Amino acid sequence: MSSEKGPDHSRRKERSRQAILAATRALVAEETYEKVTIEAIAARAGVGKQTIYRRWPSKSAVVFAALLALSEDADGQSVALPDTGDLEADLKLVMRATVEEFTDPAFDRLIRALNAEIANDDALAAEYREKLARPLDEAKKARLRSAQRAGQLDVDADLDLVLEVLYAPLFQRWLYRGGPLTAAYADSLVDATLRAFAPRKESGPTPPA
Amino acid sequence: MSSEKGPDHSRRKERSRQAILAATRALVAEETYEKVTIEAIAARAGVGKQTIYRRWPSKSAVVFAALLALSEDADGQSVALPDTGDLEADLKLVMRATVEEFTDPAFDRLIRALNAEIANDDALAAEYREKLARPLDEAKKARLRSAQRAGQLDVDADLDLVLEVLYAPLFQRWLYRGGPLTAAYADSLVDATLRAFAPRKESGPTPPA
Amino acid sequence: MSSEKGPDHSRRKERSRQAILAATRALVAEETYEKVTIEAIAARAGVGKQTIYRRWPSKSAVVFAALLALSEDADGQSVALPDTGDLEADLKLVMRATVEEFTDPAFDRLIRALNAEIANDDALAAEYREKLARPLDEAKKARLRSAQRAGQLDVDADLDLVLEVLYAPLFQRWLYRGGPLTAAYADSLVDATLRAFAPRKESGPTPPA
Amino acid sequence: MSSEKGPDHSRRKERSRQAILAATRALVAEETYEKVTIEAIAARAGVGKQTIYRRWPSKSAVVFAALLALSEDADGQSVALPDTGDLEADLKLVMRATVEEFTDPAFDRLIRALNAEIANDDALAAEYREKLARPLDEAKKARLRSAQRAGQLDVDADLDLVLEVLYAPLFQRWLYRGGPLTAAYADSLVDATLRAFAPRKESGPTPPA
DNA sequence: GATTAATCGAGACGGTACGTCGTGTCTTTTA
DNA sequence: TAAAAGACACGACGTACCGTCTCGATTAATC
């Protein structure tokens, strides 16, 4: 049958694809990033270099695909944030978890590698935003909208801006090693963000005088 | 009276040093970053490769020094922020200027190159924080302290955190191309930050007079 | 049926190999020997440096292989010396031809280059003796044996020694530029050698029949 | 007055000169010849590179001067060959000693290094012949002339040719490692040479009729 | 005995070539 | 017929020496 072009080689295709992505993740996690070369990936995956070039245009794309595959495995499953009704508590929980993640050395290397590629490749940056960032951001915004409805967040707030104010300081501090990443720091970011976008009291008639 | 470190036999030294940094800046500004190689820098500067390696351990360090030299030329001169007494106006002025800067393609390439190096090199990151970031941050914090004294900013605010909330979103949006960098965006960051760190009401009457 | 060593995937291989050897010969013949660099050979041959290093361990080996290939092209064909029955005449013919060869500037440069490498590399010297010198020496010794049978040369003479006495003076005079290389000089070497290894009178009757 | 150019700094001059030549000899004797660089010589001699370049035009010239100095130290002293009246015995003595010399590893390295330079540098070859080879050759020829007078050698023999026939085979065998250098070999060279240049029989009354 | 000028050691400089590594393409062999 | 294996042209890497060029610090000769 083999609907697709070739007579079902898709098994081999898929196996080599997985081998490549796994090898990439392994290399990124264990070596300094300069050692993550196409040749090293091919060798580790037991694959010809051409098989990599046939599928991806650059090392960046492979590294990105390797990370993307990770998050797609976790697909379907809840990307939803907790919603206990208490925005502050929920956000602090999430932010503390994020801080934890960035503290893991393997994760650190992986994201740092990815960052280097994304920051210097427009197309990859776009793909990153679409495939990785957006779904997460939407989940976060869903929680924020819930909070707006509950009167815990300014209904006029630009939610993209809220997310940036919440996450960007953490990201930057991590990226440039600008200070310790602690639970307390996570909390203080949540506090600041909630103060910045607290519901306007006088949303009603609001006559100041 | 030429006090200084070395007993000036530094004429040649200094000339080649400047040639290298100038060539590096030129290449970073005009070419794609992969073309910025040690060999290209040496060729452009009319200098042997060894002369570069003798002074800097890596391309990263050269690129960094090239940028650092820029800001040291501007040394001594006011790194102070405007202080008209109106914090909001002053910050918006500064943030809008920053947005402008990031919009310049040459500056974009330079900072992007630097970012790639810093994000993957601890030592360089440390040097960056000490030599480039800190002086600017101190100037900014001076302005914020002035605002605290004027009752325009929470006196208990962690000024490092204030700066992060103010700048990190802008930086991240630029780095990952997460949205347009406009004056309005700059303003909204100032607004959010000022709301987040507004003086606490229960500061009592607090009338100095 | 292409027996040969490798199972012929050697089309490209062979082409680049020939290009390298040809380029080497051209450079040796036309430039001063210091200009014969691996980089120059690669450039001239339109080949990557690695392709050279993949096959040969040193410049010496390449130069040697270049010369060796020359003599292998002339392979199979008669390496036999003339045998008119008159040893003196035959040897003078050969020695005069040798003198001619050493007088050719291109040949001079080639052999001088080779000499420099051989004289300082045991392994190369061994290969030289096996692959280049020995076959020629065997051909010469065949002629000498014929002369021994004809009663024109001492039957007890060590033929290696005879060859050395015949050729070494010519070689040394050429190598150290110790005097003119002329036909008369060639003749006088043959004369001296024949005197040194003339048949012993008291060899008895020794009538072949 | 200071006849010479500079005001007599000859003390320092001489000391550094000796240091350079000694360092060169040491390096040649102990290291592989590629390690004998101008920089290594300067470092070993505790001398600036310029001090070497001021005196000699090339490494070859330094190496040559280093060897030359050796033989000049031995200057004045007898370069004369033994003359017991028995040419064969005297020559065998000398040739066996020469064979011994070439067998010494340090000497081997030194001469091999020198050979490489001489064989590729006309000017150096000429200087070698004049300053090193000729005096030795003259001493040898003096012995041969004595033999001619004693009727032990053909009076018409070209003594340069005699020396070549005697020494060149030994030299070539050493240079190309063409066989063992033994006392027996030395003897057989003397024997062959004496046969080649034995006095002509009709050297007696020489009656033409 | 202090001054002056040549010469030295030290080593940086602009270069060239080294031998290695990774790139992305191309070719051959295997399954 | 697609894949592994790996050769290929290319180009940058970081190192070693080259031969030239400053730069003070000795020297030794002159004042």
Side-chain angles (χ1 to χ4, degrees):
Chain A
M1 283 280 176
S2 74
S3 55
E4 292 298 335
K5 46 188 164 179
D8 183 54
H9 289 304
S10 49
R11 215 92 53 88
R12 275 212 293 179
K13 259 179 138 110
E14 192 50 28
R15 214 179 320 144
S16 68
R17 182 191 165 84
Q18 291 310 328
I20 290 163
L21 297 181
T24 303
R25 279 190 298 267
L27 284 170
V28 167
E30 81 194 23
E31 308 251 28
T32 164
Y33 191 57
E34 296 106 56
K35 301 223 140 187
V36 182
T37 63
I38 294 276
E39 296 210 328
I41 294 170
R44 173 74 80 107
V47 136
K49 284 199 290 176
Q50 202 59 259
T51 304
I52 298 179
Y53 283 114
R54 212 173 286 128
R55 288 197 232 284
W56 295 280
S58 66
K59 189 179 65 174
S60 315
V62 182
V63 171
F64 179 72
L67 180 56
L68 189 58
L70 266 190
S71 81
E72 278 174 346
D73 288 351
D75 206 19
Q77 74 185 62
S78 98
V79 278
L81 267 61
D83 188 348
T84 65
D86 181 345
L87 179 60
E88 181 184 331
D90 290 352
L91 286 183
K92 287 186 174 174
L93 195 71
V94 169
M95 288 295 281
R96 287 176 179 213
T98 304
V99 157
E100 284 282 306
E101 261 187 341
F102 278 109
T103 297
D104 172 43
F107 184 87
D108 181 289
R109 265 194 290 269
L110 183 59
I111 301 302
R112 227 167 261 282
L114 194 64
N115 170 69
E117 307 298 351
I118 286 177
N120 288 289
D121 182 333
D122 287 33
L124 211 57
E127 200 183 351
Y128 163 75
R129 288 193 308 273
E130 284 310 305
K131 298 229 181 103
L132 278 178
R134 176 123 75 174
L136 289 173
D137 283 356
E138 284 307 330
K140 291 167 191 163
K141 285 200 258 182
R143 178 67 188 85
L144 294 181
R145 270 187 223 103
S146 161
Q148 286 177 316
R149 284 189 299 271
Q152 297 176 334
L153 200 67
D154 178 11
V155 292
D156 294 327
D158 173 350
L159 296 188
D160 286 310
L161 183 62
V162 177
L163 287 182
E164 284 178 352
V165 169
L166 187 58
Y167 281 95
L170 168 58
F171 171 74
Q172 183 181 253
R173 183 174 277 213
W174 165 78
L175 186 62
Y176 281 11
R177 300 177 172 85
L181 299 187
T182 61
Y185 177 63
D187 289 355
S188 68
L189 282 177
V190 173
D191 292 338
T193 302
L194 292 185
R195 285 196 305 271
F197 301 100
R200 315 282 181 148
K201 308 95 199 182
E202 350 71 14
S203 277
T206 343
Chain B
M1 271 274 184
S2 76
S3 54
E4 292 302 354
K5 42 187 166 179
D8 182 58
H9 63 301
S10 37
R11 221 95 50 103
R12 259 206 313 177
K13 260 178 136 107
E14 194 49 28
R15 215 178 317 146
S16 67
R17 182 190 166 84
Q18 290 310 327
I20 290 163
L21 297 182
T24 303
R25 281 191 296 267
L27 284 169
V28 168
E30 81 195 22
E31 308 250 28
T32 163
Y33 191 57
E34 297 103 59
K35 300 225 139 187
V36 183
T37 61
I38 295 277
E39 295 209 331
I41 294 170
R44 175 74 79 106
V47 137
K49 284 199 285 179
Q50 203 63 32
T51 302
I52 298 180
Y53 285 113
R54 210 175 285 126
R55 286 197 226 283
W56 295 281
S58 66
K59 191 179 64 172
S60 315
V62 181
V63 170
F64 179 72
L67 180 57
L68 188 59
L70 266 190
S71 83
E72 278 173 348
D73 288 350
D75 207 19
Q77 76 185 56
S78 96
V79 277
L81 267 62
D83 189 346
T84 65
D86 181 344
L87 178 61
E88 181 185 334
D90 290 352
L91 286 183
K92 286 185 174 173
L93 197 70
V94 168
M95 287 296 280
R96 287 174 179 213
T98 303
V99 157
E100 285 282 306
E101 260 186 342
F102 278 108
T103 297
D104 172 42
F107 184 87
D108 182 286
R109 266 193 290 269
L110 184 58
I111 302 302
R112 225 166 267 281
L114 193 65
N115 170 71
E117 308 298 355
I118 286 176
N120 288 289
D121 182 335
D122 287 34
L124 211 57
E127 201 182 352
Y128 162 75
R129 287 193 309 273
E130 281 312 303
K131 299 231 181 99
L132 279 177
R134 175 123 78 172
L136 289 173
D137 283 358
E138 284 305 330
K140 291 166 189 166
K141 287 201 258 183
R143 179 64 189 84
L144 295 181
R145 267 184 228 105
S146 161
Q148 285 177 318
R149 284 190 298 271
Q152 298 175 333
L153 201 67
D154 178 11
V155 293
D156 294 327
D158 173 349
L159 296 187
D160 287 312
L161 184 61
V162 176
L163 287 181
E164 284 178 351
V165 168
L166 188 57
Y167 281 94
L170 170 57
F171 172 74
Q172 183 182 249
R173 183 174 278 213
W174 165 79
L175 185 63
Y176 281 10
R177 300 179 172 87
L181 299 187
T182 62
Y185 178 64
D187 288 356
S188 69
L189 282 176
V190 173
D191 291 337
T193 303
L194 291 186
R195 285 195 306 270
F197 300 100
R200 312 286 180 146
K201 305 96 199 183
E202 356 68 22
S203 281
T206 335
Chain C
M1 273 276 184
S2 75
S3 53
E4 291 301 353
K5 44 187 165 180
D8 181 56
H9 63 301
S10 35
R11 221 94 50 101
R12 255 204 320 175
K13 260 180 138 105
E14 194 49 28
R15 214 178 319 145
S16 68
R17 182 190 166 84
Q18 291 309 328
I20 290 164
L21 297 182
T24 304
R25 280 190 297 266
L27 284 169
V28 168
E30 82 194 22
E31 308 251 29
T32 163
Y33 191 58
E34 297 102 61
K35 301 224 138 184
V36 182
T37 61
I38 294 278
E39 295 210 328
I41 293 170
R44 174 75 79 105
V47 137
K49 283 198 286 178
Q50 202 64 32
T51 301
I52 298 180
Y53 284 114
R54 212 174 284 126
R55 286 196 227 285
W56 295 281
S58 67
K59 189 179 64 172
S60 316
V62 181
V63 170
F64 179 72
L67 179 56
L68 188 60
L70 265 190
S71 82
E72 278 174 347
D73 288 351
D75 205 22
Q77 75 184 59
S78 97
V79 278
L81 267 62
D83 189 347
T84 64
D86 181 344
L87 179 60
E88 180 184 334
D90 289 353
L91 287 182
K92 286 186 174 171
L93 196 71
V94 168
M95 288 296 281
R96 287 174 179 212
T98 304
V99 158
E100 284 282 306
E101 262 187 341
F102 278 108
T103 297
D104 173 41
F107 184 86
D108 183 287
R109 265 193 289 268
L110 183 57
I111 302 301
R112 224 167 265 282
L114 192 64
N115 170 71
E117 308 298 355
I118 286 177
N120 289 288
D121 182 333
D122 286 34
L124 211 55
E127 201 182 351
Y128 162 76
R129 286 193 310 273
E130 283 309 303
K131 298 229 181 102
L132 279 178
R134 176 122 77 172
L136 289 173
D137 284 357
E138 284 306 329
K140 291 167 190 164
K141 286 200 258 182
R143 179 65 189 85
L144 295 181
R145 269 185 226 105
S146 161
Q148 286 177 317
R149 283 189 299 270
Q152 297 175 336
L153 202 67
D154 178 10
V155 293
D156 294 328
D158 174 348
L159 297 188
D160 287 312
L161 183 62
V162 177
L163 287 182
E164 284 178 351
V165 169
L166 188 58
Y167 282 94
L170 170 57
F171 173 73
Q172 183 183 250
R173 184 174 279 213
W174 165 78
L175 186 61
Y176 280 9
R177 299 179 173 85
L181 299 187
T182 62
Y185 178 63
D187 288 354
S188 69
L189 282 177
V190 173
D191 292 337
T193 303
L194 291 187
R195 286 196 306 272
F197 300 102
R200 314 282 181 149
K201 306 97 198 181
E202 354 70 19
S203 279
T206 338
Chain D
M1 276 285 178
S2 75
S3 58
E4 291 298 334
K5 45 188 163 177
D8 181 49
H9 290 302
S10 49
R11 213 89 57 90
R12 277 212 293 177
K13 259 179 141 105
E14 192 50 26
R15 214 179 319 144
S16 67
R17 181 191 165 85
Q18 290 310 327
I20 290 163
L21 297 182
T24 304
R25 279 190 297 267
L27 284 170
V28 167
E30 81 195 23
E31 307 251 28
T32 165
Y33 190 58
E34 297 104 57
K35 301 225 140 185
V36 182
T37 62
I38 293 276
E39 295 211 328
I41 294 170
R44 173 75 80 106
V47 136
K49 285 199 289 175
Q50 202 59 258
T51 303
I52 299 180
Y53 284 112
R54 212 173 286 126
R55 286 197 232 286
W56 296 281
S58 66
K59 188 181 65 174
S60 315
V62 182
V63 170
F64 179 72
L67 180 56
L68 190 59
L70 267 190
S71 82
E72 277 173 348
D73 289 351
D75 207 19
Q77 76 185 60
S78 100
V79 278
L81 267 60
D83 190 347
T84 65
D86 182 346
L87 179 61
E88 182 185 330
D90 289 353
L91 287 182
K92 286 184 176 173
L93 196 70
V94 170
M95 288 296 280
R96 287 174 180 212
T98 303
V99 158
E100 285 282 307
E101 261 187 341
F102 278 107
T103 297
D104 173 45
F107 184 85
D108 182 287
R109 265 193 290 269
L110 184 57
I111 301 302
R112 229 167 260 283
L114 193 64
N115 169 71
E117 307 297 353
I118 286 177
N120 288 289
D121 182 334
D122 287 32
L124 210 58
E127 200 182 353
Y128 162 75
R129 286 192 309 273
E130 283 311 304
K131 300 230 179 99
L132 277 179
R134 176 124 76 176
L136 288 173
D137 283 355
E138 285 305 330
K140 291 166 192 165
K141 287 201 257 182
R143 180 65 189 83
L144 295 181
R145 270 188 224 103
S146 159
Q148 286 177 317
R149 286 191 297 271
Q152 296 175 334
L153 200 68
D154 177 11
V155 292
D156 293 327
D158 173 349
L159 295 187
D160 287 312
L161 183 63
V162 176
L163 287 181
E164 284 178 352
V165 169
L166 189 58
Y167 281 94
L170 170 58
F171 172 74
Q172 183 181 250
R173 185 175 276 214
W174 165 77
L175 185 62
Y176 280 10
R177 300 177 172 87
L181 299 187
T182 62
Y185 178 63
D187 289 354
S188 67
L189 281 177
V190 173
D191 292 337
T193 303
L194 292 187
R195 285 196 305 271
F197 301 100
R200 313 285 179 149
K201 303 97 200 181
E202 351 73 19
S203 281
T206 336

